[in-house]
Amino acid sequence: MKNVLILGATSDMAQAIAKKYAAEGWSLTLGALEADLLEPIASDLKVRSGTEVLTFKFDATDFSGHRKCYESLPVKPDAVIACFGYMSDQEKVRNDVEDIRQTIDINFTGMATILSVIAEDFEQRGRGAIAAISSVAGDRGRQSNYIYGSAKAGLSAFLGGLRNRLAEKGVHVMTVKPGFARTKMTENLELPAALTASPEQIAEAVFQGLEKKKNVIYILWMWRWIMLIIRCIPEFVFKKMKM
Amino acid sequence: MRKISDWGNYPVIEAEVNGFDTTEQLKRQLELPGDVIAFGNGRSYGDASLQDRVILTRRFNKFLSFDESTGELCCQAGVLLSEILDVFVPHGWFLPVTPGTKLITVGGAIAADVHGKNHHVDGSFGQHVLRMDIMRNDGSVISCSPTENAEFFNITVGGMGLSGIILNATFRLRKIETAYIKEETVRAANLEEIMDGFEMSEDWTYSVAWIDCLARGDAMGRSILMRGEHATTTDLVNQVHKNDPLTVKKGMHLGIPVNFPNFVLNPLSMKAFNFVYYNKTRPGKHEHVVDYNSFFYPLDAIADWNRIYGKRGFTQYQFVIPKAAGREGMRTILKRITDSGLGSFLAVLKLFGEQESFMSFPMAGYTLALDFPISVKAMSLFKELDAMVADYGGRLYLAKDSRMDAEMFEKTYPNADEFRQAIALLNEGGTRFASLQSKRIGITG
Ligand SMILES: Cc1cc2nc3c(=O)[nH]c(=O)nc-3n(C[C@H](O)[C@H](O)[C@H](O)COP(=O)(O)OP(=O)(O)OC[C@H]3O[C@@H](n4cnc5c(N)ncnc54)[C@H](O)[C@@H]3O)c2cc1C
């Protein structure tokens, strides 16, 4: 039985992804900061699919502990999906040093350190798949959320490099850019329905994407074009836009 | 703030909505002052789960345990019945009771104490609940069952979310051999025939009738009776079904993309629809084997069908009258409806079995449910119907209601007073559980 390791497993996206993998007959290892929140999630997956589910505490910002944390897992995964992330309200906190650091620590540094440990193991084994949730916000810095966006831009660049390095070693790396998603962060907002993906859609796309060894996926196809257009706007115009 | 409404798209309100993943998060929401009400999947028709501040339960949707030897399932209240079916039908288990849509939450099923086509044999959903945990307005969690904290249990089943937020529930699934139903349809030429039909169908597990509310005179009450049993493997004839008796093909999903303009729904188009529907069933009895989705949830195949009623929205008038008043009562009320010409695509008739309960809708008798687009005419018709229903000793279903007044509720729910007092007591201090409906019908201030 193949095993998938899901990091940040309490998020809505991660839960949907876990369900998808369980339904496909994989066993699961779930890591999250609030490990006690994983209990009902694990029992749910067990009742649904009878699959094995293991949970553990994973702290994205305990960088130096990442190696030990990964090594202590009883099963080495065949695929890893890193879903953890952190977004605060930038307009409120753009001068808050702690919050800026937190944003970069979780979205970038934590991703880079844990995925580096895992990449090393996969490289030695000569197989494995890595997917991480980045964001369309990283495609171009915009005044409304460039702190979060820059951390995600860093993550996207990191994943691109990792993919480049591991391609010939038989290890696949996929970058996921969801766009708007209908999750707990957005449940009180009116989102444009056509541009908003459900966690289930994201889960399906991530699973299929890894099966088909895709490199960078946007969940809804429109986003690829929207971001392409946004990236093409010349800087002297862009800086005057309110985005 | 977000626009929100229940299934009838009437009323539509602006509300602050918040979900929760953990009881801690829910508790924090209940620490804020003001009125709140739980919102399941918004499949009640009116304003039962609407309020300025609404607590979404859909995210609290984990299966907690399942005992294969007894069929006992414990799950959080935000689980949809459809999720239960998706997981358990392939293992040979089915819901003890299901309404005509599977897109409702377990919490909504208990709060409205929903009934299905098997009410006359198996009662309502609440009668299958063995245990549940409920969070009260002070954040404390109370466990209850028909024997433990029974009073609390009894006002929660059918209590429309007013006693607290149901967190999780344990109930027993029923064993099935196949995912198919052996169905028999019988055409009935009028009300007399259909009522005879029901009385002769008491041995069937499932029975319900679709009734043409526009047919008048001798044909008044003409209908199609549908009765069914869970098919056994020997009932299956189709080789594909035989090979894999517990899986059904995923149905085609039709969607209604936008609200229909008002002129689509007029007496003529409805008449035409009803005529075609009635006549597509040939006279006499017919037997076939159908998958459970087509038997129980024909409407779920059309996503968002509520939009055919357009922007003004619609409501469902569902009443029950005691069996004693049965035939004569049904005839009088049905005549008033057909005379109005306002009737709907869907009119569903069912004979309920006995039920003792504190606040739930069902009682031994006939229940009829019809959809009406919202209009001034319909509203005044409802007033007249209310008086008739009350006179016959019947009542209206709260899960479908968006308009009855406090007087009607008081007159027709024998425990209204006691319920109001119990809820007032529970609501003391801090947050109050109240819906637009509970205010309208005078349960809460
Ligand atoms: C097409 C269709 C067919 C239907 N057929 C039938 C039928 O055959 N038989 C029948 O009985 N009903 C039927 N119904 C009505 C439906 O079953 C009920 O309205 C049901 O309560 C809807 O559940 P929901 O999860 O959508 O809850 P909502 O509509 O969101 O809420 C309904 C009530 O439950 C309360 N509630 C929800 N969750 C909780 C919770 N966790 N704790 C406390 N209170 C809670 C709400 O406050 C509200 O009072 C039908 C509805 C539709 C749309």
Side-chain angles (χ1 to χ4, degrees):
Chain A
M1 191 189 287
K2 287 201 267 192
N3 177 274
V4 60
L5 169 63
I6 300 177
L7 299 170
T10 48
S11 82
D12 292 339
M13 269 180 224
Q15 289 186 39
I17 291 170
K19 266 186 207 167
K20 175 67 187 167
Y21 274 86
E24 294 290 335
W26 291 52
S27 71
L28 299 109
T29 310
L30 307 179
L33 184 60
E34 296 168 290
D36 49 332
L37 297 191
L38 288 171
E39 263 168 53
I41 295 173
S43 61
D44 180 68
L45 292 162
K46 281 182 212 161
V47 171
R48 276 173 192 277
S49 56
T51 193
E52 269 173 60
V53 187
L54 210 108
T55 64
F56 69 103
K57 181 180 160 86
F58 171 72
D59 179 354
T61 58
D62 177 20
F63 313 125
S64 52
H66 283 172
R67 180 173 298 278
K68 205 165 145 220
C69 182
Y70 180 71
E71 278 168 0
S72 67
L73 295 181
V75 201
K76 287 287 167 291
D78 301 279
V80 174
I81 298 161
C83 300
F84 57 89
Y86 171 76
M87 178 163 53
S88 65
D89 180 8
Q90 168 168 298
E91 301 207 357
K92 277 197 216 119
V93 299
R94 59 186 160 200
N95 294 319
D96 181 334
V97 175
E98 256 320 294
D99 211 62
I100 294 171
R101 202 180 54 110
Q102 180 90 329
T103 303
I104 296 166
D105 276 358
I106 296 178
N107 293 303
F108 179 67
T109 322
M111 279 278 187
T113 51
I114 183 68
L115 293 182
S116 294
V117 171
I118 295 169
E120 192 186 323
D121 176 45
F122 281 10
E123 188 175 13
Q124 271 167 22
R125 289 197 278 157
R127 61 188 183 87
I130 296 172
I133 310 293
S134 187
S135 170
V136 298
D139 286 5
R140 188 160 192 179
R142 290 173 295 122
Q143 60 176 297
S144 57
N145 71 348
Y146 60 87
I147 297 176
Y148 175 79
S150 59
K152 289 292 196 183
L155 172 61
S156 292
F158 170 83
L159 293 169
L162 197 63
R163 172 162 48 243
N164 188 212
R165 171 188 136 201
L166 296 177
E168 59 171 10
K169 306 281 168 54
V171 180
H172 181 65
V173 179
M174 181 171 84
T175 311
V176 183
K177 298 183 180 176
F180 294 140
R182 182 46 80 196
T183 64
K184 54 192 140 210
M185 280 197 277
T186 59
E187 91 194 334
N188 208 15
L189 303 175
E190 307 259 18
L191 293 177
L195 295 178
T196 307
S198 66
E200 290 72 32
Q201 271 175 317
I202 297 170
E204 189 63 34
V206 167
F207 182 83
Q208 297 301 344
L210 279 185
E211 290 286 293
K212 293 180 188 137
K213 293 206 174 5
K214 293 265 177 67
N215 299 317
V216 180
I217 61 168
Y218 290 83
I219 305 303
L220 300 175
W221 62 270
M222 297 78 89
W223 279 104
R224 187 178 289 274
W225 301 103
I226 293 171
M227 293 322 293
L228 181 67
I229 293 165
I230 290 180
R231 276 201 309 266
C232 289
I233 301 171
E235 193 62 32
F236 71 92
V237 179
F238 194 80
K239 73 177 185 192
K240 292 185 192 136
M241 294 171 73
K242 286 249 173 295
M243 286 186 89
Chain B
M1 297 289 269
R2 215 180 92 186
K3 276 212 178 89
I4 189 165
S5 65
D6 281 323
W7 189 242
N9 289 325
Y10 171 84
V12 181
I13 62 157
E14 286 263 331
E16 190 195 322
V17 305
N18 282 295
F20 61 99
D21 295 287
T22 65
T23 49
E24 268 311 306
Q25 289 169 9
L26 176 58
K27 197 170 162 182
R28 260 176 267 139
Q29 288 186 36
L30 295 183
E31 278 161 10
L32 306 170
D35 295 349
V36 296
I37 193 72
F39 186 97
N41 206 34
R43 249 54 181 193
S44 52
Y45 277 64
D47 48 5
S49 48
L50 302 184
Q51 180 55 270
D52 302 339
R53 194 149 61 87
V54 149
I55 295 183
L56 302 181
T57 63
R58 270 292 286 128
R59 235 171 51 219
F60 202 64
N61 64 348
K62 306 294 174 298
F63 291 116
L64 300 176
S65 66
F66 181 65
D67 183 338
E68 273 175 57
S69 59
T70 58
E72 271 177 37
L73 172 67
C74 177
C75 67
Q76 293 177 339
V79 168
L80 292 178
L81 300 189
S82 62
E83 296 178 285
I84 297 176
L85 294 167
D86 286 346
V87 171
F88 290 98
V89 167
H91 296 291
W93 297 97
F94 200 75
L95 295 165
V97 163
T98 174
T101 173
K102 57 180 173 173
L103 301 174
I104 73 162
T105 62
V106 167
I110 296 170
D113 196 15
V114 301
H115 54 267
K117 298 176 176 179
N118 55 342
H119 185 274
H120 59 289
V121 270
D122 295 309
S124 55
F125 194 90
Q127 284 163 261
H128 299 266
V129 175
L130 303 168
R131 261 188 312 285
M132 52 186 170
D133 291 336
I134 294 148
M135 186 174 283
R136 295 185 36 183
N137 68 341
D138 61 0
S140 62
V141 175
I142 164 166
S143 282
C144 61
S145 76
T147 51
E148 184 194 351
N149 294 319
E151 276 177 19
F152 200 82
F153 184 88
N154 294 336
I155 58 170
T156 300
V157 171
M160 302 307 282
L162 299 171
S163 63
I165 308 276
I166 302 165
L167 296 173
N168 58 59
T170 305
F171 48 94
R172 202 168 281 149
L173 300 181
R174 74 169 64 219
K175 197 93 192 105
I176 49 170
E177 261 184 51
T178 77
Y180 295 85
I181 300 289
K182 203 166 59 170
E183 180 193 40
E184 195 176 277
T185 53
V186 191
R187 207 164 103 163
N190 54 39
L191 198 60
E192 278 303 304
E193 264 191 49
I194 186 61
M195 290 187 154
D196 290 343
F198 270 116
E199 268 147 44
M200 290 178 325
S201 304
E202 281 180 344
D203 295 342
W204 288 75
T205 306
Y206 300 106
S207 67
V208 74
W210 173 85
I211 165 167
D212 177 353
C213 287
L214 300 174
R216 302 183 190 205
D218 289 346
M220 190 180 79
R222 72 174 180 182
S223 37
I224 297 162
L225 176 65
M226 287 162 270
R227 42 196 194 191
E229 292 296 335
H230 287 283
T232 59
T233 39
T234 47
D235 292 327
L236 299 182
V237 277
N238 181 318
Q239 196 55 44
V240 180
H241 299 173
K242 267 183 176 334
N243 291 345
D244 209 353
L246 288 166
T247 11
V248 291
K249 256 205 340 268
K250 281 247 151 64
M252 196 174 40
H253 235 67
L254 304 170
I256 303 215
V258 287
N259 287 327
F260 270 37
N262 286 347
F263 64 81
V264 178
L265 273 185
N266 58 49
L268 257 179
S269 69
M270 290 196 276
K271 207 163 191 150
F273 176 88
N274 282 9
F275 180 84
V276 170
Y277 196 102
Y278 180 76
N279 284 291
K280 94 180 170 57
T281 311
R282 283 165 294 118
K285 263 194 224 173
H286 305 279
E287 248 190 57
H288 19 228
V289 172
V290 295
D291 70 69
Y292 75 87
N293 281 318
S294 349
F295 183 77
F296 289 106
Y297 316 113
L299 282 172
D300 286 346
I302 313 168
D304 306 327
W305 62 259
N306 52 344
R307 292 187 176 159
I308 64 173
Y309 288 98
K311 267 214 155 70
R312 62 189 159 160
F314 69 113
T315 189
Q316 188 168 86
Y317 195 83
Q318 180 168 8
F319 65 91
V320 59
I321 52 171
K323 210 169 166 197
R327 296 200 175 206
E328 192 225 312
M330 277 309 281
R331 190 173 310 109
T332 322
I333 297 176
L334 190 59
K335 178 143 191 324
R336 184 65 196 91
I337 294 170
T338 55
D339 285 351
S340 79
L342 295 171
S344 61
F345 278 110
L346 294 156
V348 177
L349 180 67
K350 158 106 193 103
L351 180 59
F352 281 153
E354 296 285 342
Q355 181 170 335
E356 288 281 318
S357 53
F358 189 67
M359 282 305 296
S360 304
F361 168 68
M363 62 166 89
Y366 285 98
T367 178
L368 181 68
L370 313 90
D371 290 345
F372 289 88
I374 298 289
S375 71
V376 179
K377 261 192 180 163
M379 288 295 183
S380 64
L381 171 68
F382 296 154
K383 274 274 174 205
E384 274 181 60
L385 297 177
D386 284 357
M388 295 163 129
V389 168
D391 278 350
Y392 285 117
R395 56 182 169 234
L396 303 183
Y397 190 10
L398 293 177
K400 307 288 178 71
D401 160 66
S402 52
R403 42 132 320 257
M404 97 161 104
D405 58 24
E407 195 192 337
M408 174 73 181
F409 176 69
E410 192 73 39
K411 242 193 302 192
T412 53
Y413 277 80
N415 298 324
D417 240 12
E418 236 179 295
F419 185 55
R420 182 180 319 107
Q421 285 164 20
I423 296 302
L425 215 66
L426 288 170
N427 267 339
E428 262 171 25
T431 312
R432 295 193 324 160
F433 294 110
S435 60
L436 297 186
Q437 178 179 58
S438 74
K439 292 184 184 183
R440 177 168 45 78
I441 63 175
I443 304 175
T444 58

